[in-house]
Amino acid sequence: MSRDSFYITTAISYPNGKPHIGHAYELIATDALARFQRCDGKDVFFLTGTDEHGIKMLQTAKKEGISPRELADRNAAAFQRMAVALNASNDDFIRTTEERHYKASQAIWKAMADRGDIYKGGYAGWYSVRDEAYYGEEETEVREDGVRYGPQGTPVEWVEEESYFFRLSAYQDKLLELYESRPDFIGPAERRNEVASFVRSGLKDLSISRTTFDWGVPVPGDEKHVMYVWVDALTNYITSLGYPDENEAKWKFWPADAHIIGKDIVRFHAIYWPAFLISAGIELPKRVFGHGFLFNRGEKMSKSLGNVIDPFTMVEHYGLDQVRYFFLREVPFGQDGSYSHDAIVNRTNADLANDLGNLAQRSLSMIAKNCGGVVPARGELAEADKAILAQAVDALATARRTMAEQAIHQALAAIFGVVAEANRYFAGQEPWALKKTDPARMETVLWTTAEIIRRVGILCQPFIPGSAAKLLDLLAVGEDQRGFGHVDTLDALVPGTPLPAPQPVFPRYVEQEPAA
Ligand code: MET
């Protein structure tokens, strides 16, 4: 039987600079969503990459006195290193300067042209290089500094040149129908309302080529033009699956289950992209989800650490799974959030070091000391044992439901709700006292606690994969016994099975003495 497939993507980043926390955040969140479906038995394909064309790249390269390709090579390598440093489980990393991508972009262009949706004209209007976006005059404003700005607060400049146009205006009704008939197409819901009202206010045809520079994918049949960067950028999502060769093994992953992007680029993904795809006769993705932005609110952090906005430094300083956990648990996915040194330390010390780490360390040490270092004997389960074990099963159900709508923080809240309850259970059962009064019951309590840790360990894998693996190793859980299908069973921890010596998994963050 073939497994259900699941395709998820991040936006591809402009490598005009080094990766920052915003990029890391999106990649971590998308990685958790991808890993979650893998743990749930799906055949997952997870794509990330870099968006290397456009004027912004060209201008930055000029400023640095290097070619745009050198700039792209240098920074794309940093984005690839970041993916490794964050333990991202992406199956491919696409660079839009690759041959395969030129092929795909030219193919989708031809398909749109064959449909009669591309015509040549003259463009005269406002363009923001920072956003790589065209804006209607009514979306711009001249501020006190005399400069004209677009709706995202970036300066715009007047552009006039011969260009190809995409007949976007012809798609207004189809798009509105799409938002109407598939209310889940855009998430979170506020984003959908914004997009729908923008579309309702009227769509103009879109200028999709440039002639004043040649850093881009050449327009097929008219090489004086290069494609507008967003036309080729959006195509990356199908390039990676082998488009235009729909017989390619990877094509089965299309349509994408979710494009995870920042809220500032929802317009491109929820208006242009579906219009291009309808025009080219390609199925539409199932969902576009716009997450919020992160703000650094902690002065203390920058004082003690220098530039912790750098994801590499942050991970080195706090630990990878600490950073992953913090962002995924603290910030409701889809909303803006803030981070600070204190918030990271409080959150990870409380949840990881205290709640989960201590529970594992205390119970596993007791097992090592009092049960001969093997899985304890399991007597008949009391109501309290059954209740806490059932809570982990409920958490899986909640996580499945919330992760399906990208509410990552809610999934984690449910899982760590089990951890909090397990601490109350452990304290209430007092296995250390049972040692003298009822050693058999002590073993059952320790077995139940170990079993809870096994279940929580399995559930934590998408979010904190390295630490979750360590927890499962401590319980001698086989590599092939770690999927979500193994949560709801009483037979996984077999009494008498030898366990490795317990090791602390979540170190407590200890404040360093300020430098004298
Ligand atoms: N490079 C774009 C950005 O960072 C995203 C492109 S996603 C197809 O805004």
Side-chain angles (χ1 to χ4, degrees), residues 387-430:
I388 184 68
L389 293 173
Q391 211 185 321
V393 177
D394 293 346
L396 172 58
T398 304
R400 281 191 172 127
R401 181 171 46 76
T402 52
M403 291 297 270
E405 46 193 46
Q406 293 81 34
I408 304 175
H409 58 293
Q410 287 178 12
L412 270 177
I415 296 165
F416 277 77
V418 178
V419 176
E421 193 53 40
N423 274 288
R424 284 190 281 276
Y425 165 85
F426 192 73
Q429 297 293 323
E430 304 187 314

Side-chain angles (χ1 to χ4, degrees), residues 149 260 316 358 479 486:
Y149 290 89
I260 306 299
E316 225 168 84
N358 278 351
E479 298 277 347
H486 295 278

Side-chain angles (χ1 to χ4, degrees), residues 269-287:
H269 285 79
I271 301 176
Y272 300 173
W273 184 223
F276 294 165
L277 289 169
I278 297 171
S279 171
I282 303 170
E283 248 187 286
L284 302 186
K286 295 187 194 139
R287 187 158 161 93

Side-chain angles (χ1 to χ4, degrees), residues 350-411:
D351 295 8
L352 297 180
N354 288 355
D355 281 4
L356 182 52
N358 278 351
L359 181 69
Q361 186 60 16
R362 286 174 67 200
S363 55
L364 294 177
S365 302
M366 276 195 76
I367 290 172
K369 248 207 331 263
N370 304 300
C371 311
V374 302
V375 174
R378 182 183 99 207
E380 193 160 341
L381 296 182
E383 281 314 309
D385 311 339
K386 288 185 194 155
I388 184 68
L389 293 173
Q391 211 185 321
V393 177
D394 293 346
L396 172 58
T398 304
R400 281 191 172 127
R401 181 171 46 76
T402 52
M403 291 297 270
E405 46 193 46
Q406 293 81 34
I408 304 175
H409 58 293
Q410 287 178 12

Side-chain angles (χ1 to χ4, degrees), residues 389 446-455 487 489-490 492-493:
L389 293 173
L446 290 175
W447 182 89
T448 303
T449 310
E451 172 60 13
I452 272 296
I453 293 166
R454 185 190 70 87
R455 294 182 182 197
V487 168
T489 169
L490 292 174
L493 290 185

